[in-house]
Amino acid sequence: MPSPDHDDVHYYDPANGHGLAHDPFKAIVGPRPIGWVSSCDREGRVNLAPYSYFNAFHDKPPIIAFGSSDWKDSVANIEATGEFATSLATRPLAEAMNRTSAPVAHGIDEFELAGLTPAPCRQIRPPRVAGSPAALECKLLQIVRQHDLQGRALDAWMVVGQVVGVHIARAFIRDGLFDTAAARPIMRGGYMADYFEATPETLFRMRRPTA
């Protein structure tokens, strides 16, 4: 396919502004999976918050990471205790997940705030979301502060963890496989209220070439 003409492409340098109604960056890098992160502070008080800068980065061992735009309670708790859990955010849990994003004071239990039931993990202290089809128990590998091209430190942090335990609701295991589409995970879109849902109708398969 030929490259589009310059007149057909909107180009911008992020340092100089995007020239559109809203910044399109998050809409281009999307939809993004949501890391619904639960953690505890040193006193055992629970925090639950969603992060859309989230993904898996390795599988043997399984490694995940999420990014925080500032030093939030989740990051502080994980630095202090070295552990956290992530629960799969799904369409039935979407409204509750959204309530856990509220900027409440430290020490407020978002499980209680959102009407969610905490379920115990096996290797870590923070609970997982009981109604979620899948959850990952994680132990901290590193917290990385982000820097820009000029070397300036940003109030942006990447938390990297190794998965040490996996919980899957048996109802979503079909023929030995986790049925992702049946779980109906939701993903973050680009603007203030945009989300996407994975469903069986949107699933398609494409094998990787062997040569």
Side-chain angles (χ1 to χ4, degrees):
M1 179 179 294
S3 299
D5 295 333
H6 289 298
D7 290 342
D8 296 330
V9 174
H10 176 78
Y11 172 83
Y12 70 94
D13 180 339
N16 299 323
H18 48 75
L20 299 173
H22 298 283
D23 188 347
F25 171 72
K26 294 180 183 178
I28 295 169
V29 186
R32 301 181 305 282
I34 298 168
W36 205 2
V37 177
S38 51
S39 61
C40 294
D41 65 14
R42 290 191 186 276
E43 287 70 45
R45 292 173 294 188
V46 175
N47 181 270
L48 177 64
Y51 291 87
S52 68
Y53 293 140
F54 168 80
N55 220 310
F57 292 90
H58 198 60
D59 62 341
K60 294 179 182 176
I63 293 174
I64 60 95
F66 72 91
S68 179
S69 59
D70 52 43
W71 190 264
K72 294 186 170 71
D73 284 346
S74 298
V75 183
N77 289 350
I78 294 166
E79 182 194 47
T81 65
E83 53 189 29
F84 62 100
T86 65
S87 298
L88 188 65
T90 63
R91 187 65 185 93
L93 294 168
E95 296 297 330
M97 181 279 299
N98 192 42
R99 286 195 291 273
T100 66
S101 70
V104 297
H106 177 73
I108 296 296
D109 187 338
E110 285 86 0
F111 279 89
E112 182 177 346
L113 179 70
L116 294 164
T117 301
C121 288
R122 297 196 182 188
Q123 298 193 53
I124 62 173
R125 188 174 185 183
R128 55 192 171 88
V129 176
S132 176
L136 308 174
E137 299 184 19
C138 304
K139 293 195 175 180
L140 176 65
L141 292 175
Q142 57 181 319
I143 297 176
V144 182
R145 188 170 192 177
Q146 304 301 305
H147 294 73
D148 65 13
L149 286 171
Q150 286 71 45
R152 293 175 297 202
L154 306 175
D155 192 10
W157 311 84
M158 183 171 66
V159 178
V160 185
Q162 181 171 324
V163 178
V164 296
V166 179
H167 300 258
I168 304 173
R170 292 189 185 279
F172 295 96
I173 299 176
R174 314 276 171 83
D175 300 322
L177 304 175
F178 175 64
D179 192 338
T180 308
R184 300 172 60 195
I186 56 173
M187 295 151 286
R188 196 67 170 89
Y191 300 107
M192 294 300 293
D194 293 354
Y195 288 83
F196 293 84
E197 176 188 352
T199 65
E201 292 75 24
T202 59
L203 173 68
F204 72 95
R205 291 186 170 91
M206 186 164 50
R207 297 282 186 181
R208 181 184 298 181
T210 58

